[in-house]
Amino acid sequence: MKRIVICGSMSAISKMKDVAKQLEIMDYTPILPDEGDIPEGKFNEYKKDVSMKHFNAISHESTYAVLIVNEAKRGIDNYIGANSFAEIALAFYFGKKIFLLNDIYTPYADELAAWGAVTLNNDLQRLPCLT
């Protein structure tokens, strides 16, 4: 099974979980970001640890792709935040496929196009067939 690391704003974790379930049905192995509790007064340490864990998942040799769940946020369509953009850059660097669940996020359009990001227009059936 091809392994896909799911990325996106944690405000969309519910959608990420739904996407993971659909990917499993399609015979992919989805990897979700950690959503553990943040220890009081330890936000930076927590953020660093979960970011490193997700970066390691992206760069792992068995990872086929990243899938960015770029839902609307604060009225901005196809939103990609700083952390998700860093994850996309890392995926590009390690030669992983880059998929965007929705359309291109305009502020990063040049980079996303140059790095070969594929928009799925909210249709996971557009992912490459595994058979």
Side-chain angles (χ1 to χ4, degrees), residues 6-125:
I6 299 172
C7 306
S9 171
M10 291 307 287
S11 65
I13 191 65
S14 174
K15 179 68 174 186
M16 286 189 256
K17 289 177 181 179
D18 290 343
V19 166
K21 288 176 189 172
Q22 292 174 49
L23 290 174
E24 287 174 347
I25 291 167
M26 298 169 66
D27 286 330
Y28 286 97
T29 301
I31 308 297
L32 286 162
D34 275 348
E35 59 173 323
D37 294 324
I38 302 170
E40 188 157 339
K42 304 278 186 175
F43 177 78
N44 288 339
E45 291 172 30
Y46 171 82
K47 182 74 169 174
K48 178 182 175 183
D49 289 345
V50 297
S51 293
M52 285 301 294
K53 183 177 179 184
H54 219 53
F55 286 176
N56 287 333
I58 292 166
S59 64
H60 195 277
E61 65 185 27
S62 68
T63 296
Y64 164 69
V66 294
L67 172 56
I68 311 303
V69 177
N70 58 329
E71 295 290 281
K73 183 174 179 179
R74 288 181 246 139
I76 301 169
D77 289 338
N78 311 311
Y79 179 79
I80 295 175
N83 208 60
S84 293
F85 189 67
E87 292 161 342
I88 292 167
L90 187 68
F92 168 72
Y93 178 79
F94 281 99
K96 310 301 180 177
K97 300 283 184 190
I98 302 164
F99 298 104
L100 306 176
L101 184 60
N102 295 301
D103 206 354
I104 293 283
Y105 180 53
T106 304
Y108 302 145
D110 292 343
E111 289 80 7
L112 293 169
W115 297 347
V118 175
T119 58
L120 301 177
N121 297 316
N122 205 27
D123 181 4
L124 292 176
Q125 297 304 314

